[in-house]
């Protein structure tokens, strides 16, 4: 009994000692800087793609614009709204949500905090009457994925030796079908006789994190003649790279894959023809900058080839995989899209 | 020290020690990554119990934990380990959402709520019942079947998603107004609970806690369940069929977990959303283990884990969210690890007293 009391007291004492208020380390900033909060999608930091790109955008703003930033990684479905609310209640100036899944949550919190500014990447909120415009204190950052996809589609068809190119999508939703539509249109534009194979991993969020399914789809497309596959499937796409990596030796002809969102060369060096990059960091940085300079405006902002919101990778790594003619042809297409002479479709015909 | 007092101490001391150990471990961890424990834990308490919104969110997060904890705890009374609460709450939530969305708009409030709650119970009971029947008829171990049913449910949701989800979303149609639980901010204190999702399904949880306690301790069926849990052989000798009891006990346990889906579907978002549960079914196991089969302790355990979940979010900006996962693990380990030493210390001191009385 006595020992029970003794140990309990000991534990309490230990905690008191650990919790004694320590000397405050003064950050030493006299002027209150702009405060930016970023809430990641479930899955969060370290996805080497979408979320990391958003992080880089804010991080750049911290270094170049001197803003102060905080990051939140939600755990479950209710944590998204909760995270946004915690930041809003603390009086942050700008709160960003990474991904279409934030559409509902940001919409409702933004309506309650009219003096706080919000940004939603890939915002997509629909009701019975169609698209719901964001409130005036919120900006919807959308990308013309179809334009970048058009270019990599053309590049794929120009590189393909078999005349068959593939597409592996994650979740079967209009957002991802935009990638497929642009890709197919680009391929058919430069090679009307080519064939485009397309497959999706599923219809829920899990379809973005199922590498086994990605590999299965990719192997099937490679088997049916495709020699270049574009993936827009989150970590499911890692399975596509895995399938590509198992080629080019043992009598199997070289098979290529195209990455998405960020430069994914390192996932399968030598097998990544290029990556269709979505410059979430550019959009995020521009938004922070707009707030900082007092010219933030709500509404929908679209980032396409013209705004450098989407692009494809061409650097020392993949230069040997892309012929000069193909490169020249694709660059000519880029100018035509920017000039409005070609319109990349958002839905596949 | 009398016997009853000893038993109370045996219940109270291990969780208390566990909490203190976890708190100490947290401070050391925070300090080791260069943080200030005082500041971080201050932030944690501010984000939970010391603000209206935080407190509301703690209650909101504790609500489904009460259901899943109760589900696991009740199965344990019958000697069964239900690891399928995650799948059961998923099906329960989906059933409530679909029922609530198909009801005609003019349905009276009480009837709509009642039907949706029943639907969520039935959904969870269906999944639990499958494991129960497999155990009763074929002797398949419930740990295996309930775990595997989680995966089956997960896969079924992936398959169903395309047909039941709205455009460009991962959620179903919203339920009708009448089938929604009122939020505390709507009737209790709009200023205190502003924005928080805590809703009347908390009362449903407390009511169900009470009902389960009454069922287990004051009814014949509940007695049969406990006898089977204590000794299936004895139960059979007493004319109770362990197989039948097992089957309905797992169905009931699944139903309790399924009810947990009401909190999110009928009280928060008003629709079923893919991945809404965030592991609340597995956390229910921890809640039940921490509660040692006492309904009052179950409430405390649910509140504790609700606090950790919400608090983790509140301190996420200064420390990695994994810290909270570590704390949850430390608490569970510490409870399991201190139970035995505490009991030994108690028995030693009481034997000392009794031997002292003799001489």
């Amino acid at each position: 009994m006595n020992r029970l009391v003794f140990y309990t007291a000991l534990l309490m004492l230990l905690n008191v000692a650990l919790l004694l208020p320590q000397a405050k380390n003064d950050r030493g900033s006299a002027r209150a800087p702009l405060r930016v909060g970023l809430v990641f999608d479930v899955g969060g930091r370290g996805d080497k793609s979408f979320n990391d790109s958003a992080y880089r955008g804010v991080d750049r703003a911290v270094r170049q614009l001197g803003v102060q930033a905080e990051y939140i990684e939600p755990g479950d479905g209710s944590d998204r709204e909760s995270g946004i609310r915690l930041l809003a209640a603390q009086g942050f100036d700008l709160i960003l949500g990474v991904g279409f899944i934030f559409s509902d949550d940001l919409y409702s919190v933004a309506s309650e905090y009219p003096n706080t500014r919000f940004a939603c990447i890939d915002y997509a909120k629909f009701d019975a009457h169609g698209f719901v415009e964001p409130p005036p204190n919120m900006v919807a950052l959308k990308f013309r994925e179809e334009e970048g996809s058009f270019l990599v589609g053309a590049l794929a068809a120009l590189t393909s030796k078999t005349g068959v190119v593939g597409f592996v999508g994650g979740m079967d939703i209009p957002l991802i079908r935009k990638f497929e539509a642009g890709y197919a249109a680009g391929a058919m534009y430069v090679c009307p006789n080519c064939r485009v194979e397309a497959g999706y991993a599923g219809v829920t969020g899990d379809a973005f994190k199922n590498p086994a399914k990605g590999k299965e789809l990719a192997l099937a497309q490679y088997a049916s003649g495709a020699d270049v596959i574009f993936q827009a499937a989150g970590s499911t796409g890692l399975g596509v790279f895995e399938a590509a990596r198992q080629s080019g030796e043992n009598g199997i002809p070289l098979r290529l894959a195209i990455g998405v969102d960020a430069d994914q060369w390192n996932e399968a060096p030598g097998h990544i023809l290029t990556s269709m990059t979505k410059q979430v960091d550019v959009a995020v940085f521009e938004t922070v900058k707009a707030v900082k300079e007092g010219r933030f405006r709500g509404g929908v902002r679209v980032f396409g080839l013209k705004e450098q919101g989407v692009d494809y990778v061409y650097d020392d790594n993949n230069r040997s995989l892309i012929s000069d003619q193909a490169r020249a042809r694709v660059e000519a297409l880029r100018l035509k899209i920017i000039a409005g002479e070609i319109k990349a479709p958002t839905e596949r015909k | 020290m009398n016997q009853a007092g000893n038993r109370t101490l045996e219940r109270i001391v291990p969780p208390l020690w566990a909490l203190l150990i976890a708190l100490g471990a947290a401070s050391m961890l925070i300090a080791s990554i260069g943080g200030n424990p005082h500041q971080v834990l201050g932030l944690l308490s501010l984000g939970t119990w010391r603000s209206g919104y935080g407190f509301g969110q703690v209650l909101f997060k504790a609500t489904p934990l009460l259901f899943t904890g109760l589900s696991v705890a009740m199965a344990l009374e019958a000697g069964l380990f239900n690891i399928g609460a995650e799948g059961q709450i998923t099906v329960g939530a989906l059933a409530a959402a679909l029922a609530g969305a198909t009801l005609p708009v003019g349905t009276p409030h009480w009837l709509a709520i009642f039907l949706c709650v029943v639907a969520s119970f039935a959904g969870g009971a269906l999944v639990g019942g499958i494991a129960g029947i497999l155990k009763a008829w074929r002797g398949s171990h419930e740990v295996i079947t309930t775990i595997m049913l989680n995966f089956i449910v997960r896969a079924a949701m992936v398959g169903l998603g395309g047909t039941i989800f709205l455009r460009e979303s991962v959620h179903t149609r919203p339920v009708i107004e009448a089938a929604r639980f009122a939020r505390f901010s709507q009737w209790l204190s709009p200023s205190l609970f502003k924005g928080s999702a805590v809703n009347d399904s908390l009362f449903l949880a407390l009511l169900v806690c009470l009902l389960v306690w009454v069922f287990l301790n004051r009814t014949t069926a509940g007695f049969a369940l406990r006898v089977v849990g204590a000794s299936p052989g004895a139960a059979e000798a007493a004319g109770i069929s362990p197989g039948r009891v097992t089957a309905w006990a797992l169905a009931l346990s699944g139903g309790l977990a399924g009810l947990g889906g009401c909190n999110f579907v009928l009280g928060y978002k008003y629709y079923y959303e893919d991945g809404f549960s965030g592991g609340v079914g597995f956390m229910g196991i921890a809640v039940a283990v921490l509660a040692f089969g006492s309904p009052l302790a179950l409430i405390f355990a649910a509140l504790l884990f609700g606090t950790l979940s919400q608090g983790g979010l509140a301190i996420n900006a200064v420390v990695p969210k994994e810290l909270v996962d570590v704390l949850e693990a430390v608490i569970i380990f510490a409870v399991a690890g201190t139970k035995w030493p505490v009991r030994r210390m108690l028995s030693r001191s009481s034997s000392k007293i009794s031997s002292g009385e003799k001489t």
Side-chain angles (χ1 to χ4, degrees), chain A residues 56-70:
Chain A
R56 273 199 306 280
V58 175
D59 192 50
R60 199 175 126 208
V62 169
R63 283 182 283 110
Q64 296 183 6
L65 306 175
V67 304
Q68 191 187 324
E70 281 190 8

Side-chain angles (χ1 to χ4, degrees), chain B:
Chain B
M1 183 56 61
N2 58 22
Q3 210 62 34
N6 256 357
R7 211 165 296 147
T8 316
L9 272 181
E10 223 179 278
R11 278 208 169 138
I12 291 174
V13 175
L16 181 71
W17 282 18
L19 257 185
L20 290 171
I21 290 170
L23 207 60
S27 301
M28 285 188 247
L29 270 175
I30 294 165
S32 75
I33 56 169
N36 178 346
H38 183 74
Q39 179 216 352
V40 172
L41 293 177
L43 212 57
L44 188 140
S45 68
L46 186 69
T48 52
W49 292 79
R50 290 199 287 134
S51 70
Y53 174 73
F55 179 57
Q57 285 301 103
V58 169
L59 295 180
F60 169 74
K61 295 217 160 184
T63 307
L65 287 174
L66 267 176
F67 284 114
T68 53
L70 202 56
S71 161
V72 176
M74 206 209 69
L76 281 177
E77 290 285 328
L80 299 164
F81 208 175
N82 175 17
I83 313 198
E86 187 73 13
Q88 290 148 9
I89 193 175
T90 303
V91 175
L94 183 69
L98 293 182
T102 28
L103 284 175
V105 173
T107 317
H109 181 56
W110 65 269
L111 184 64
I113 288 279
F114 176 76
L115 289 176
C116 288
V117 168
V118 167
S120 71
F121 183 87
L126 178 75
V127 183
I130 293 172
I133 289 170
L134 283 174
K135 167 115 185 174
W137 279 4
R138 313 295 314 166
S140 322
H141 202 287
E142 80 281 359
V143 169
I144 309 288
T145 51
T146 50
I147 288 181
M148 295 323 284
L149 276 163
N150 285 336
F151 289 100
I152 293 172
V153 167
R154 186 75 229 121
M157 290 302 147
V158 170
L160 270 176
T163 51
I164 55 173
F165 289 162
L166 289 177
R167 182 180 169 199
E168 289 215 37
S169 77
V170 286
H171 59 77
T172 58
R173 269 190 310 142
V175 300
I176 58 167
E177 296 269 349
R180 299 175 182 184
F181 276 113
R183 291 195 183 182
F184 281 18
S185 58
Q186 282 168 328
W187 59 271
L188 189 58
S189 167
S191 53
L192 181 62
F193 291 109
K194 185 178 181 299
S196 169
V198 61
N199 58 78
D200 288 357
S201 64
L202 177 61
F203 296 122
L204 179 70
L206 295 174
L207 178 72
V208 170
C209 269
L210 185 71
L211 287 178
V212 168
W213 187 85
V214 169
F215 168 76
L216 285 176
N217 295 290
R218 296 283 183 273
T219 67
T220 326
F223 180 69
L225 188 148
R226 286 191 294 133
V227 171
V228 170
S231 162
E236 198 145 25
I240 301 168
S241 157
R244 194 172 301 161
V245 171
T246 299
W248 62 250
L250 269 175
L252 200 59
S253 168
L256 290 174
L259 284 174
C262 293
N263 182 50
F264 187 92
V265 172
L266 305 180
Y268 173 42
K269 286 276 176 146
Y270 311 127
Y271 49 64
Y272 169 85
E273 183 182 279
D274 183 51
F276 79 95
S277 57
V280 85
F282 299 118
M283 204 52 78
I285 300 171
V287 170
V289 168
L290 204 60
F292 288 133
S294 143
L296 207 61
L298 197 76
I299 296 173
F300 280 113
L303 281 175
L304 173 65
F305 280 95
T307 307
L308 283 176
S309 172
Q310 182 63 21
L313 200 62
I315 59 172
N316 187 220
V318 277
V319 291
K321 71 170 175 186
E322 282 74 16
L323 178 78
V324 167
D325 299 342
V326 173
L327 285 193
E328 281 166 358
V330 169
I331 290 177
I332 296 166
F333 270 111
V335 169
T338 50
K339 197 180 168 185
W340 177 241
V342 167
R343 181 179 294 169
R344 218 177 44 187
M345 279 178 212
L346 280 170
S347 64
R348 191 182 294 166
S349 62
S350 59
S351 65
K352 219 181 268 169
I353 290 168
S354 51
S355 59
E357 276 167 354
K358 267 176 207 157
T359 46

